Structure formats: C-alpha cells, structure tokens
Amino acid sequence: MKKNIYADNAATTKIDIEAFEAMKTYLLDDYSNASQAYSFSRNSKLAIKNARNIIARSINAKPEEIYFTSGGTESDNWAVKSVMLYEGQTKHMLTSSIEHHAILNSCVDIELLGHQVSYISVDDKGCIDFAEFENLIENDVKLVTIMLANNEIGTIQPIKALAKIAHANGALLHTDAVQAVGHISIDVQDLGVDMLSASAHKFNGPKGIGFLYVRQGTGLKPYMNGGSQEFGMRAGTENVASIVAMAIALKNNVANIETNGKHLFKLENALFDKLTDENIDFIVNGSTKKIPGNISLSFAGVEGEMLLHRLDLMGIYVSTGSACNSKDTEVSHVISAISVPSAYAKGTIRISFGHENTIDDAISIAEALVKIIKN
Ligand code: PLP
C-alpha cells in the first residue's frame, strides 16, 4: 500500500516521541495544580522550572524572561495589545503587510483604540522595504512588530538591523518567530529584540502551548488577568504536561538544527530538480534567505485549490497558503503583497517538509504535481 505523505509542517508538526512520553507523567501521575502549596505539587513546580530553563537556554534568554502562553496567537496578541492598550496618547505602531493574522487582526483592534498602524510593504521576495521603515520609524512609534520568518513563503527578515533602528528611535521591537523557533538558531541577545513569540506545535511540541520572551525591563503589562501564575504576568492554571513537552521538543530540535536544515534543503532541491526536468512552468516564491523546508510554488494556468484537492486524493497533504486562510479561495495577502504575476498567483501551493520527510517523499510530490499539471 502506498503511504500518505504529510508535507504541511508549517501548519503543524507531529509530536516528538520523547515529548509525548513525558506528558503522560504530568497527566496521570504528577497531575497536581502546580500553584498549590502541598508536597504533591513539588514535582509539577520543578518540571515547570526545568522547562523554563531549557527554553531560555535554547534562545539565549534568562528563565525569568520566558512566559508560557497558549501558543503563537496569544503571544502575538499579548505583545501587541498590552503595549498599545496602555498608551493614553495616540501613538503609532509599525508592522508589515505580510504578518500572520494573529498580528494583523490585533492591529485592527489597536486602530479601533485610536492609534495609528502603518503596514510596511515588502519587495517581490517578501523582504521589508527598509527605506519605508526608516522613514516611518521617526514618527512617534511605540512598537514595531515584524515576523522573523514568514509562514507562507519562509522569507527571513533582518530583525537585528530593524531592532537597532527601532531602539534608536525609542520604539520596542516584537518579532513573531513562530515559524523560526526550532528551525533556525535564535539568540535573543544577538537579535536585540524586546519580545518574541513562539508556538510548540510548529517544532514538534503539543498544540495549545507556546511562550512569549520578554526582555527584562521591557515593562510589559499582563494580558490575561486572573491568578498570579507566571510571575503575575499570565494568569491561568499551568499546562504542566504541555510545558514539559514543549521544552523537550525544542531541546531536541535545537540539538539537530543543522542536520535537519541541510536535510530539508536537500528535499527542496530534489523537488525543484524534478519539476524542472519535466519542464513544468513554476515560480519559487520568497527569498533565498529562508527557513528550511518551507516552499511556496506558483504554477502557471492552474488553481492552487485544484492542486491541493488532487494531491489530497493521491494521499499527499500540502496547503494553499497558511492554515488559517485555507477557507479562502482568493490569493492570500502574502502572495498579493509580493506581487506574484497574475498568470501564476492563483496556482500557489505551500509545501512544508518536516525532518521525517524523505527524498522519496519530495520526488513523489513532484511526480504527482507533474501528473496533475500535464493532464
Ligand atoms: N504566527 C505565525 C507566523 C504562524 O505561522 C502561526 C500559526 O500558523 C501563528 C502565529 C499562530 O500560532 P498558534 O497556532 O500557536 O496560535
């Protein structure tokens, strides 16, 4: 029997087996509420502390700079809304036109509060327009939020340079690193960011858990109000099992980051080579400075939706853009922003390999695409 091929790892990943096994202990044995004072909670408390240390180390942060959240969406909402919510005077914030909707829709709320949001354009590779950024940052900006790597095309932004300019102009810099953490090396000190969002299910951890890194001294206010968990910064009973699993998944991904990266680029090349050999008319979207494994392809004269469904029938799972946009049949905001030529734009799919994918998977996907397109 032919095996199915999952190639939508930018939407979510399979859980790391060690992370999965570790969860059981904190669901079946040490299942206490970690905030209780009795001895039964000692192991849960210790597990959270260890997980925070592991996560902090993996991005070169201090443990007390890591706040556990329910995932990328909450981390993004927290960073954007908590900074802007407490600004009495009208302030300005900068973002890009290709952010995830967790950022873009948070910005809509910020505009409703009366603040101004500017959406910086990108070039045809998805790279921030630096001149536009430098021009806008002079204008009473409180917060800049630019993603580290794009979820549809994989392009990596020059966050270190953007953070320097933001700080020189008195603004904070947040980066949505949901697609980058666990996939490329990240050092928050070197990047110079004030806040960074991450989500475990994008790096082989469980769904519904993530973290927000907040540089000490940033002065961020809580977003979730309630109990005093997470140093009084994020209320809610701690999701111990998922926190533990997230740390294990991140540690394992970081330990293999170079090997995985090389493997994923090999898969990309195998797929491109096969399509080229078969004279398929396609464009590879995004920059060459990108996260490994995430490829956006646009084909001439076909619909991405049709490709997705035909591949599905062949047991191959890819997406047309981001998972959050999968109900839209129109061209995504990212594909529009990078001005993919109209003959190709509607024929866009995203293939995102994970480290479990093989060269055979890459070639099988290419062969399936050739078959569909040539028919
Ligand atoms: N930011 C980016 C860049 C993403 O790709 C995603 C998920 O697709 C999110 C934020 C939202 O993360 P979560 O699914 O953990 O809420």
Side-chain angles (χ1 to χ4, degrees):
M1 201 177 79
K2 213 164 174 255
K3 74 167 180 122
N4 292 342
I5 302 173
Y6 180 75
D8 197 18
N9 288 273
T12 200
T13 55
K14 179 171 151 186
I15 194 164
D16 174 293
I17 191 68
E18 189 190 336
F20 169 71
E21 291 296 338
M23 287 182 87
K24 289 192 210 161
T25 306
Y26 298 95
L27 294 169
L28 297 174
D29 303 322
D30 291 320
Y31 55 81
S32 69
N33 183 320
S35 294
Q36 292 296 39
Y38 40 66
S39 57
F40 182 38
S41 290
R42 209 174 289 145
N43 284 349
S44 317
K45 269 195 200 83
L46 188 62
I48 294 178
K49 188 174 173 206
N50 289 340
R52 205 185 303 279
N53 287 341
I54 292 171
I55 289 172
R57 244 193 329 269
S58 72
I59 60 166
N60 196 22
K62 296 180 189 139
E64 56 274 23
E65 294 176 319
I66 304 296
Y67 298 96
F68 298 126
T69 66
S70 62
T73 300
E74 183 188 328
S75 297
D76 284 350
N77 271 263
W78 184 5
V80 170
K81 291 181 183 167
S82 293
V83 170
M84 300 305 287
L85 202 63
Y86 293 95
E87 281 302 327
Q89 296 160 296
T90 303
K91 285 270 178 175
H92 191 182
M93 108 168 231
L94 304 185
T95 189
S96 84
S97 56
I98 61 165
E99 298 295 310
H100 188 270
H101 280 98
I103 292 290
L104 292 177
N105 289 341
S106 294
C107 290
V108 172
D109 268 15
I110 294 312
E111 287 172 310
L112 287 175
L113 286 174
H115 298 299
Q116 187 194 345
V117 182
S118 296
Y119 300 85
I120 301 164
S121 27
V122 293
D123 65 16
D124 61 357
K125 303 286 175 214
C127 301
I128 285 289
D129 183 330
F130 230 85
E132 196 179 324
F133 173 73
E134 285 185 306
N135 198 18
L136 285 165
I137 190 80
E138 290 173 358
N139 217 350
D140 207 15
V141 172
K142 176 74 188 167
L143 176 69
V144 176
T145 177
I146 304 284
M147 69 204 319
L148 188 39
N150 184 268
N151 47 306
E152 289 188 40
I153 55 174
T155 297
I156 294 175
Q157 301 295 351
I159 297 298
K160 186 174 174 172
L162 296 171
K164 255 194 198 139
I165 299 169
H167 292 157
N169 286 276
L172 293 172
L173 189 128
H174 165 255
T175 189
D176 174 343
V178 165
Q179 293 289 341
V181 172
H183 299 277
I184 54 170
S185 295
I186 290 180
D187 178 333
V188 287
Q189 306 296 328
D190 183 54
L191 284 175
V193 295
D194 301 293
M195 292 173 282
L196 175 145
S197 300
S199 175
H201 75 101
K202 307 291 187 180
F203 54 78
N204 307 97
K207 293 164 185 61
I209 189 80
F211 65 89
L212 181 68
Y213 155 80
V214 184
R215 189 179 51 76
Q216 233 170 10
T218 300
L220 191 71
K221 303 254 191 329
Y223 173 59
M224 299 283 266
N225 301 118
S228 60
Q229 292 92 349
E230 296 297 292
F231 318 113
M233 288 287 283
R234 196 278 186 179
T237 302
E238 296 92 338
N239 186 349
V240 186
S242 296
I243 290 171
V244 168
M246 169 163 67
I248 294 173
L250 186 54
K251 181 172 61 95
N252 289 345
N253 267 25
V254 167
N256 295 307
I257 218 155
E258 276 187 32
T259 323
N260 286 346
K262 279 186 194 147
H263 172 65
L264 294 173
F265 280 126
K266 267 192 201 148
L267 302 192
E268 292 185 14
N269 288 333
L271 185 131
F272 296 151
D273 289 349
K274 183 78 195 164
L275 293 176
T276 310
D277 287 350
E278 295 284 348
N279 295 317
I280 298 295
D281 186 1
F282 71 104
I283 298 175
V284 183
N285 299 312
S287 166
T288 48
K289 194 156 184 274
K290 64 183 278 293
I291 42 168
N294 184 326
I295 46 182
S296 169
L297 302 177
S298 296
F299 297 92
V302 289
E303 295 266 333
E305 279 293 305
M306 181 277 286
L307 290 177
L308 182 142
H309 293 301
R310 294 285 301 275
L311 288 171
D312 188 2
L313 290 173
M314 297 159 100
I316 295 171
Y317 310 120
V318 303
S319 85
T320 47
S322 66
C324 318
N325 281 347
S326 62
K327 288 193 188 76
D328 293 347
T329 48
E330 285 308 304
V331 171
S332 83
H333 67 293
V334 177
I335 297 303
S336 302
I338 63 172
S339 307
V340 173
S342 57
Y344 293 82
K346 282 198 168 188
T348 303
I349 58 168
R350 177 187 68 185
I351 299 166
S352 47
F353 292 118
H355 54 74
E356 287 198 354
N357 285 119
T358 61
I359 292 275
D360 281 351
D361 290 346
I363 291 170
S364 297
I365 296 174
E367 284 172 349
L369 283 166
V370 170
K371 201 167 163 188
I372 299 167
I373 292 165
K374 287 199 173 168
N375 279 341

